[in-house]
């Protein structure tokens, strides 16, 4: 296989992508086009450095007739021979050797762990405290419309996990020498996602498509022999000689278990407390909190593509995104997170009397506004003490402050008013696009002063990359508190917790940071359970 990098096509000509790539490849290899026997796009990204000239940049894998006859001079910096990484793990334990496996949680980590256990014949039981995604969508929409919260079926809890109500981003920084990343993307495609997610630089699905993919995977699990039970909450664990022996669900039903996969998600606060009381080793960890910031999507498009592309009718490029980072003089890092082009800010509350926000996009990314979490680093030193659950209490304080500031509605403030600690009274250049009602409030009363100071110092620096980012009319909505888990459940090299047979997994356990990395961790735990020992 031959990999060719840095093939550029002007974006307006990309509708004939395959034809142009074939011509460029033939020229690069100095062969006729008919000698190219296969072409696979490995990566596709946007190069906007020469605005207004915008390019798609490709890396491709190709096979050709008589590869050995290619002249040596065609190989170099951008042309090389490669062996693509393919996932090739094969379980070594039988179903009897593995025993009864229960997966707790049906976010990406639990979904993928349960899926691969099922299609390999291990027949796991997957329990999810929330509802199946179709019913969950109804509960969430009702909450956004009425403000009446279902604490067991919401943006955080239910089939698909918290990522279901997000932009559905699938990019990850995790190194992938085993092919798990590609496997996750290919599995999503198998169950309804667009094929382009396997090669675009920043793949995303969108809430609408992701919910369908999750439901299709659920049906595949059941067809393969796995069992799924919704509205089934883990309420206790029974330990025998430092090993899990059974679990209790819904406070009254006992289930014998040999392996317990804890794919809890980052918001199962009551379950974390129960497990801590059972002496499961945990430790607090650093994470980040802040606000959602809204701008007109046209401002972001103009900064990234140029005005001529903003006015384009075909939208080949799609809504532009960004990634920003800065460091404040008080030592805090400030950065964008989970940026949602053409998206909505959503009320993502979990507990009564507390309020958190998140960002969400549908697959078309076609709303008027762009939004992103603009967050500030926090460490265990910011918490009240070193207790493993102290990060959760830190989150709760912020969420209660946000709820009180907005009286249950999403608190919003213009950036201009935030800078001078003044409550807003009207919108100017940006009007919020949200799921859930908003009300004017002062974000300075929600976040600690040191975090507000870091935001006020660093947001203007982002205008060096995106002109107008610090416009006084831009909006801050709070509070973004669920960026990642505030704790880590400690596990060993075989992915066991200190209680043997318990496998902490995914984002909630502190081993992932998004949909794809959580799914990859679910696959790793599947491997750990079904193997006699491999390099994980």
């Amino acid at each position: 296989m031959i990999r060719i990098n840095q093939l550029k096509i002007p974006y307006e000509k990309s509708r004939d992508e395959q034809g142009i790539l074939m011509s460029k490849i033939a020229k690069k290899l100095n062969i006729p086009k008919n000698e190219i026997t296969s072409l696979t796009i490995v990566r596709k990204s946007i190069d906007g450095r020469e605005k207004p000239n915008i390019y798609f940049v490709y890396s491709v894998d190709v096979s050709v007739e008589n590869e050995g006859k290619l002249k040596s001079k065609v190989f170099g910096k951008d042309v090389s021979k490669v062996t693509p990484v393919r996932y090739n793990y094969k379980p070594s334990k039988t179903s009897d050797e593995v025993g009864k496996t229960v997966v707790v949680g049906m976010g990406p980590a639990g979904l993928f762990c349960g899926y691969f256990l099922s299609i390999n014949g291990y027949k796991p039981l997957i329990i999810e405290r929330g509802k199946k995604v179709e019913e969950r969508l109804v509960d969430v929409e009702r909450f956004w419309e009425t403000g009446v919260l279902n604490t067991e079926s919401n943006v955080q809890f239910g089939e698909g996990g918290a990522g279901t109500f997000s932009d559905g981003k699938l990019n990850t920084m995790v190194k992938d020498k085993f092919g798990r990343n590609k496997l996750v993307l290919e599995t999503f495609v198998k169950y309804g996602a667009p094929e382009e997610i396997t090669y675009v630089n920043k793949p995303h699905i969108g809430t609408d498509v992701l919910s369908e993919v999750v439901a299709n995977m659920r049906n595949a699990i059941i067809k393969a022999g796995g069992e799924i039970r919704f509205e089934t909450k883990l309420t206790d664990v029974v330990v025998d000689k430092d090993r899990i022996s059974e679990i209790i669900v819904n406070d009254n039903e006992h289930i014998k278990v040999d392996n317990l996969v804890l794919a809890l998600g980052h918001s199962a606060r009551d379950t974390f407390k129960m497990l801590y009381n059972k002496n499961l080793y945990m430790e607090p960890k650093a994470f980040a909190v802040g606000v959602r910031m809204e701008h007109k999507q046209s401002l972001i498009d103009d900064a990234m593509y140029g005005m001529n592309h903003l006015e384009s009718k075909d939208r080949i490029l799609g809504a532009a995104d960004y990634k920003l980072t800065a460091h404040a003089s008080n030592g805090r890092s400030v950065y964008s997170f989970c940026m949602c082009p053409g998206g909505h800010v959503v009320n993502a509350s979990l507990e009564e009397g507390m309020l958190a926000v998140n960002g969400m996009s549908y697959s078309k990314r076609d709303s008027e506004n762009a939004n992103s979490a603009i967050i500030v680093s926090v460490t265990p030193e910011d918490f009240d003490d070193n207790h493993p659950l102290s990060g959760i209490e830190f989150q709760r304080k912020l969420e209660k402050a946000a709820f009180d500031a907005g009286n249950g509605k999403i608190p919003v403030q213009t950036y201009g008013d935030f800078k001078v600690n003044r409550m807003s009274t009207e919108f100017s250049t940006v009007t919020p696009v949200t799921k859930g009602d908003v009300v004017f409030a002062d974000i300075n009363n929600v976040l600690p002063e040191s975090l507000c100071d870091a935001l006020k110092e660093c947001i203007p620096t982002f205008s060096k990359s995106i002109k107008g980012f610090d416009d006084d009319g831009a909006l801050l909505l709070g509070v973004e508190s669920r960026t990642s888990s505030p704790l880590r459940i400690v596990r060993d090299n075989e992915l066991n917790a200190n209680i043997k047979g318990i496998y902490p997994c995914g984002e909630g356990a502190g081993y992932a940071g998004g949909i794809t990395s959580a799914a990859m961790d679910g696959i790793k735990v599947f491997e750990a359970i079904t193997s006699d020992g491999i390099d994980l």
Side-chain angles (χ1 to χ4, degrees), residues 11-12 52-54 305-312 315 317:
Y11 94 95
E12 64 271 16
N53 299 312
I54 310 297
Y305 300 150
M307 185 61 70
N308 57 325
H309 298 290
L310 169 65
E311 296 169 346
S312 173
R315 304 300 297 166
L317 293 170

Side-chain angles (χ1 to χ4, degrees), residues 199-472:
Y199 59 81
V200 293
N201 182 36
K202 296 179 180 179
H204 83 107
I205 296 182
T207 287
D208 45 346
V209 175
L210 183 56
S211 60
E212 295 177 2
V213 171
V214 166
N216 291 338
M217 288 187 69
R218 173 225 306 159
N219 293 332
I221 289 170
I222 295 170
K223 185 177 180 180
E227 180 185 358
I228 301 173
R229 292 176 55 179
F230 295 103
E231 299 180 74
T232 302
K233 179 180 175 181
L234 175 68
T235 50
D236 205 354
V237 296
V238 179
V239 179
D240 182 16
K241 297 179 181 178
D242 295 325
R243 185 170 185 85
I244 186 73
S245 63
E246 66 178 44
I247 61 172
I248 301 172
V249 299
N250 296 338
D251 292 315
N252 56 24
E253 182 183 353
H254 292 246
I255 300 173
K256 296 290 185 182
V257 58
D258 297 294
N259 309 292
L260 182 65
V261 180
L262 294 178
L264 301 172
H266 57 42
S267 294
R269 293 166 169 173
D270 50 358
T271 308
F272 288 135
K273 183 177 180 180
M274 178 273 291
L275 293 168
Y276 173 79
N277 290 335
K278 289 294 181 175
N279 297 316
L280 195 69
Y281 291 165
M282 304 176 186
E283 57 190 19
K285 74 173 185 65
F287 61 109
V289 298
V291 295
R292 279 274 152 183
M293 193 163 184
E294 280 194 281
H295 299 85
K296 290 285 190 184
Q297 181 63 49
S298 58
L299 181 142
I300 309 302
D301 289 347
D302 190 17
M304 297 302 178
Y305 300 150
M307 185 61 70
N308 57 325
H309 298 290
L310 169 65
E311 296 169 346
S312 173
K313 302 295 184 184
D314 52 27
R315 304 300 297 166
I316 295 173
L317 293 170
D321 64 4
Y322 59 80
K323 185 175 182 179
L324 301 166
T325 184
H327 296 281
S329 57
N330 63 9
R332 307 271 184 182
S333 294
V334 179
Y335 55 97
S336 62
F337 172 81
C338 189
M339 192 268 158
C340 298
H344 300 71
V345 176
V346 305
N347 189 331
S349 299
L350 172 68
E351 296 177 292
E352 296 286 359
M354 300 181 194
L355 187 144
V357 295
N358 194 13
M360 183 186 86
S361 296
Y362 294 109
S363 56
K364 291 184 178 179
R365 289 176 160 177
D366 58 358
S367 89
E368 186 175 83
N369 287 357
N371 76 77
S372 177
I374 304 297
I375 50 178
V376 186
S377 59
V378 296
T379 72
E381 293 180 358
D382 295 300
F383 310 157
D384 288 340
D385 53 46
N386 291 322
H387 192 283
L389 304 181
S390 58
I392 291 176
E393 294 310 310
F394 180 84
Q395 290 175 319
R396 279 181 165 144
K397 286 182 179 180
L398 300 185
E399 291 170 16
K400 184 179 186 305
F403 184 92
D404 292 345
N407 196 25
K409 297 179 181 179
I410 300 171
V412 60
Q413 184 176 25
T414 66
Y415 175 65
D417 289 329
F418 171 70
K419 290 188 297 185
V420 296
N421 297 38
R422 177 179 61 214
M423 184 173 308
S424 301
T425 57
E426 62 181 357
F427 300 117
S428 57
T429 55
V430 184
T431 302
V433 176
T434 64
K435 295 287 189 176
D437 291 337
V438 302
V439 65
F440 287 121
D442 189 350
I443 300 297
N444 291 282
N445 296 328
V446 175
L447 293 171
E449 184 177 3
S450 64
L451 273 64
C452 291
D453 289 345
L455 289 170
K456 292 171 185 176
E457 179 182 346
C458 292
I459 285 174
T461 70
F462 295 153
S463 286
K464 296 176 183 177
S465 300
I466 300 174
K467 185 179 180 181
F469 194 88
D470 61 347
D471 179 82
D472 281 352

